[in-house]
Amino acid sequence: MKIPTKLALRELRHDWQSALCFVAALAGVLGPLLIILALKNGIIGTMVGRLIEDPSNREILAIGAGQHDAAFFAALGARQDVGFIVPATRSINTSANAVRNEAQRKLERAVPLIPSAAGDPLVEGEAVAPGRVWVSDKLAQDLAVAAGDTLDMIIGREVDGQRENARRDMTVIGVLPAEIWPRPAIFLSVPDLLAVERFRDDLSATPGNWTDPVAEPESYASYRLYARSLEDIGTLSAYLSEQGLQSRPRAENAALLLSFRRNLNILFTAIAALAMFGFWAAMSANLRGMVERQRVIFSLFSMLTMPDRQRCVIPVVQSLTLVLGGVVATLIIILPFLLAINASFETAPGESIARLYPGDILATLGLGAVTAVTAAVWAVFAVRNVEPQEVLTHA
Amino acid sequence: MSSSDPETVLSIRNLGIERAPGFFVVIEELDLAASETIVLDAVSGAGKSTALGLIAGALPLVDLPDTRHAIAGVPVTPETPRAAFAGPDKLGFVLQTNTLVPYLSLVENIELPVRVAGQEPDAEWQDHLIRAMGLGDYKARKPGQLSVGQRQRVSVARALLGQPALLLLDEPVSALDPANVAEVEGLIVHLAAEAGSAVVLASHQAQTGEFANTPRADHRLLDHQGQSYSIFSTAGRAAARVA
C-alpha cells in the first residue's frame, strides 16, 4: 500500500489549497464543538460533579423518632442501594453539653454528636471506636485540637433540680475537612452515643459508671442512612415509605441534578451528532468530487494495472489525512483559547472553567477516523467504477 | 508465424467492440512477433485508437465467433487480472494525449508502471531512456512544467521503461510540431528496437517519416444488415522487423 498512500498524499500536496480549505472547514465545525465540550467538562461538569460526588447529598434523613430493631438494620444493610447505615438515638440526645480542650483551656458548648462506624462515607481513615472520635474541622479549630489530642466531653442532666455532669476523655483520631462537614460536630461510636442517652434517661447510670458496657437496646429511635449513589435515593426513599417511615433526602434537588447532567449530555451529543453528520456529508461529497476531478488519472492507474483495492485506498488515505489535519488544526487553535479562558477566571485548586481530557481528544480522533473512513465509501465505490478504457476515451 | 510460436507477442482473432450504436470496430486477425512493427493506418474516426484499446484488453467486447486474444503468451479474457497481461514487461501504451499524473515529477511518472507492479526500475535503462529522450534536465519537473513535446517523450519513456514485449502507440506525434515529428519517431523506433518490443502504431500521418515503409494492417469498412464494421487485419501480410 506504499504506492497508493504516496499517490494520495502527493495529490493532496499538489492540490494543497483545496485540502487547506477542507481542513479549515473541519476546524470550523470541530472547534466550537470541542469548546462546548471543554466548558461542559469544566465549569458545568465540575459544578454538577461536585454536587453529585458529595456524599452528603446521598444522605436520607429520618423524620421523627421511631423504633428500629436489629432486623430493620439488617434488611437495610443487605440492600444494594444502601451505601451506609448506622443506628442513632433520639435527636435530643445527640449533643454534648460541652467539649473541652484542657490543655488549651478552650471550651465549646452544645456540640452535635453524630453516630459513625466503619464504612462511613464522610470518614476517610480509621473508623471510630469507643473513646476514639473524629471531629469536624470547625470544632478542631475552635478547640485547637488535632489528631492524637484528647478532648473532655461533658454530658449534663438535672436530677431533682440538681445539675449533674458526666465526663469522658475522647481521643481525636482524625479531623473531617470543612468541605465534608462545615459545622462543629463529633463523630463517635454508637456505644458512646448510647452511653450519652443512658446517662440522660436512666438514673441508674452515674457519672462513675455511665460508660460501662451495657446490652444493646432492642430498638433505636433513628438512623444515619446514605444511598449508594444519587440514582439510588429514589428507590431507597420509596422502600422507607413502604415501611411506613417518613424520610427526606438531604439534597432535595438530587433528581434535578441528575436530570440536568443527563440532559446536558443528551444535548451535547445531539449537537455533536448533527455537526458531525453535516461534516460527514460535506466530506463525502468532497471526496466524491475529488474522484470525479481525478477520473482520468484513476483510469490511467487502472490501465497501468494498479489493482482496485490499491486505487480505493487513495480516497480513504486522503480522507483520513484531511480529518487528522482538521483535528490537529482545531487543537492548535482552541488549546491556547482554552488556556486563556482558564487564566481569565479564578477557580478552586484542581478545577478549571474549560477542560479537555486526553480521552476526549482520543475520542475525537477515533470518531474522526470513523467519519473519514465511512465518508470515503461513496468515493471508493466511484473509484471501483472507473474503467481503464476511460483514459482512452479521454484521449 | 502462429500464436504457439514462442516469439509470438500478440495473437488476435475476431476481437470486436460496438463503439457506437450500429458501429463496430473489429480486429479480424493480428499476429505479431517480437521486434515486429505494424501500422494501423486509416482515416480519422475509423477506430484506430479503439483497436489499440482492444489490443490492450481495456475495452468491453462484443460476442464474436472464435475470439482469441493473447499478449506475450498470456490469454486475455475478462477474468484475467490486468497485471497478468498488461504489466510493464508485457505491455507499454503511449496514449494519444500523453496523460501523465499531474502531481508526480517526470521521473516518478516514468517509473509509475514499474512501481505499481512492485518492481524496481532498471536504473541504467531508465537513465538511457531519459537521456535519449532529451529529458535529463527536467527530471524533477511536473507535467504542468513541461512542453507538449516533452510530455509526449515522457509518455514514451514510461511505456518503454519495463522493456515491454508489446508497445502500443496511439498517434504519438500528432500533437508535435513538424520539426519534432521525425526526431520523436526516430527515437521510438530506436528505443523500441533496443527494448526488443513489438510495436503497433495507430496513425493517420505515417505516410512519411520513420514509419513510411512499415507494413500496414489491412483496413476495410463493411456495411452488413444495417450495421457498419471497421475491420483491421494482417491476414497474409508480414509485419516489419525493426530490430
Side-chain angles (χ1 to χ4, degrees):
Chain A
M1 291 299 156
K2 192 176 159 191
I3 293 286
T5 301
K6 177 184 170 183
L7 291 170
L9 298 178
R10 292 292 291 274
E11 204 267 328
L12 281 184
R13 198 172 78 179
H14 178 73
D15 197 10
W16 64 270
Q17 284 166 317
S18 298
L20 191 63
C21 288
F22 207 80
V23 166
L26 175 56
V29 173
L30 205 54
L33 269 184
L34 287 181
I35 289 172
I36 293 173
L37 178 62
L39 290 173
K40 186 177 88 73
N41 287 343
I43 187 167
I44 301 169
T46 302
M47 184 184 73
V48 175
R50 197 188 297 166
L51 292 170
I52 287 172
E53 295 307 320
D54 183 354
S56 299
N57 289 330
R58 303 202 309 266
E59 185 172 8
I60 295 176
L61 301 170
I63 298 175
Q67 286 190 318
H68 310 301
D69 57 14
F72 169 79
F73 288 104
L76 272 179
R79 288 179 64 88
Q80 291 295 313
D81 51 8
V82 170
F84 177 72
I85 176 73
V86 67
T89 59
R90 286 181 299 149
S91 58
I92 197 171
N93 287 325
T94 54
S95 72
N97 293 70
V99 180
R100 187 168 59 183
N101 179 357
E102 280 188 277
Q104 298 288 330
R105 305 180 69 79
K106 288 181 179 291
L107 182 138
E108 284 294 315
R109 298 183 187 279
V111 175
L113 301 175
I114 297 169
S116 180
D120 190 330
L122 303 190
V123 175
E124 284 188 6
E126 180 186 340
V128 297
R132 297 174 67 76
V133 299
W134 281 69
V135 296
S136 68
D137 180 70
K138 178 76 168 67
L139 185 63
Q141 286 190 31
D142 291 345
L143 294 177
V145 295
D149 292 345
T150 300
L151 292 175
D152 181 17
M153 183 171 74
I154 301 164
I155 308 298
R157 70 181 179 187
E158 281 194 10
V159 179
D160 298 331
Q162 295 294 311
R163 185 81 186 169
E164 194 173 28
N165 286 340
R167 298 167 184 277
R168 179 166 189 193
D169 284 346
M170 297 288 201
T171 301
V172 176
I173 57 174
V175 177
L176 281 179
E179 59 266 26
I180 297 291
W181 198 273
R183 300 172 298 281
I186 293 178
F187 287 72
L188 75 178
S189 66
V190 173
D192 284 345
L193 190 64
L194 284 173
V196 171
E197 184 174 60
R198 181 171 162 242
F199 179 71
R200 289 207 174 111
D201 293 350
D202 184 357
L203 292 179
S204 68
T206 67
N209 70 0
W210 71 288
T211 57
D212 289 350
V214 293
E216 191 179 8
E218 288 185 3
S219 66
Y220 291 87
S222 189
Y223 52 81
R224 248 184 92 212
L225 173 63
Y226 289 78
R228 189 170 297 278
S229 68
L230 276 185
E231 286 86 349
D232 291 324
I233 288 179
T235 55
L236 195 48
S237 295
Y239 170 75
L240 292 173
S241 185
E242 285 169 16
Q243 307 301 310
L245 301 172
Q246 281 191 299
S247 66
R248 68 174 176 82
R250 178 182 288 277
E252 299 276 13
N253 56 355
L256 194 64
L257 277 177
L258 286 174
S259 163
F260 180 58
R261 184 173 68 167
R262 195 163 46 244
N263 291 340
L264 197 63
N265 287 337
I266 291 171
L267 184 64
F268 178 77
T269 305
I271 291 172
L274 274 175
M276 290 313 291
F277 176 75
F279 172 71
W280 181 89
M283 183 89 183
S284 193
N286 179 64
L287 290 167
R288 179 65 184 83
M290 183 274 293
V291 173
E292 210 51 45
R293 288 193 300 278
Q294 295 288 315
R295 199 169 181 91
V296 173
I297 300 302
F298 278 111
S299 173
L300 176 68
F301 292 157
S302 183
M303 178 66 88
L304 298 180
T305 73
M306 186 183 286
D308 272 0
R309 66 175 185 283
Q310 287 194 19
R311 290 191 303 150
C312 291
V313 164
I314 293 174
V316 175
V317 168
Q318 290 182 328
S319 186
L320 283 168
T321 306
L322 288 172
V323 168
L324 181 66
V327 172
V328 171
T330 304
L331 292 175
I332 288 172
I333 293 167
I334 69 157
L335 287 180
F337 184 68
L338 297 181
L339 288 174
I341 290 178
N342 287 331
S344 305
F345 297 93
E346 196 174 331
T347 53
E351 294 181 353
S352 48
I353 297 289
R355 175 178 290 178
L356 272 185
Y357 299 104
D360 295 329
I361 294 171
L362 284 176
T364 303
L365 283 169
L367 201 60
V370 171
T371 304
V373 172
T374 54
V377 168
W378 191 15
V380 164
F381 275 105
V383 168
R384 288 178 66 89
N385 288 328
V386 176
E387 299 290 341
Q389 71 211 50
E390 293 184 33
V391 72
L392 303 176
T393 311
H394 166 78
Chain B
M1 183 179 59
S2 74
S3 62
S4 59
D5 187 328
E7 279 221 325
T8 300
V9 167
L10 178 65
S11 176
I12 290 177
R13 296 290 182 277
N14 297 330
L15 202 61
I17 180 176
E18 187 172 13
R19 207 185 74 169
F23 177 60
F24 295 82
V25 175
V26 177
I27 301 174
E28 193 176 55
E29 181 178 331
L30 181 53
D31 291 318
L32 214 55
S35 300
E36 284 185 336
T37 298
I38 193 87
V39 176
L40 305 182
D41 189 0
V43 295
S44 287
K48 299 187 293 295
S49 297
T50 303
L52 290 185
L54 284 172
I55 295 171
L59 299 178
L61 305 177
V62 289
D63 278 336
L64 294 175
D66 301 324
T67 292
R68 275 193 353 233
H69 186 191
I71 296 175
V74 180
V76 181
T77 68
E79 292 74 35
T80 313
R82 275 198 69 73
F85 62 83
D89 59 333
K90 294 192 171 57
L91 181 67
F93 201 152
V94 180
L95 301 164
Q96 188 172 6
T97 55
N98 50 74
T99 304
L100 300 175
V101 182
Y103 45 85
L104 296 182
S105 69
L106 179 153
V107 169
E108 289 168 330
N109 265 290
I110 290 174
E111 290 179 349
L112 188 59
V114 175
R115 298 281 184 198
V116 166
Q119 299 163 6
E120 281 294 317
D122 179 334
E124 198 177 327
W125 174 239
Q126 181 174 329
D127 273 353
H128 175 59
L129 279 175
I130 290 174
R131 269 190 285 107
M133 288 291 182
L135 299 169
D137 294 335
Y138 315 111
K139 287 181 180 176
R141 288 197 184 177
K142 303 280 174 55
Q145 299 166 314
L146 299 173
S147 70
V148 174
Q150 287 166 334
R151 287 204 293 271
Q152 192 70 48
R153 291 168 200 226
V154 174
S155 290
V156 174
R158 179 177 67 190
L160 282 170
L161 182 62
Q163 297 182 301
L166 177 63
L167 177 65
L168 304 180
L169 302 165
D170 190 3
E171 307 278 11
V173 294
S174 62
L176 301 181
D177 57 84
N180 280 320
V181 168
E183 184 193 353
V184 172
E185 282 187 344
L187 282 169
I188 291 172
V189 170
H190 175 68
L191 291 170
E194 280 192 76
S197 306
V199 177
V200 180
L201 168 71
S203 175
H204 66 280
Q205 56 183 41
Q207 294 81 5
T208 59
E210 290 288 334
F211 297 99
N213 299 316
T214 306
R216 268 61 175 159
D218 288 330
H219 175 250
R220 64 187 191 278
L221 291 169
L222 175 68
D223 287 325
H224 178 64
Q225 294 182 342
Q227 314 269 38
S228 293
Y229 296 85
S230 178
I231 302 169
F232 295 91
S233 176
T234 57
R237 182 182 288 266
R241 186 167 283 272
V242 296

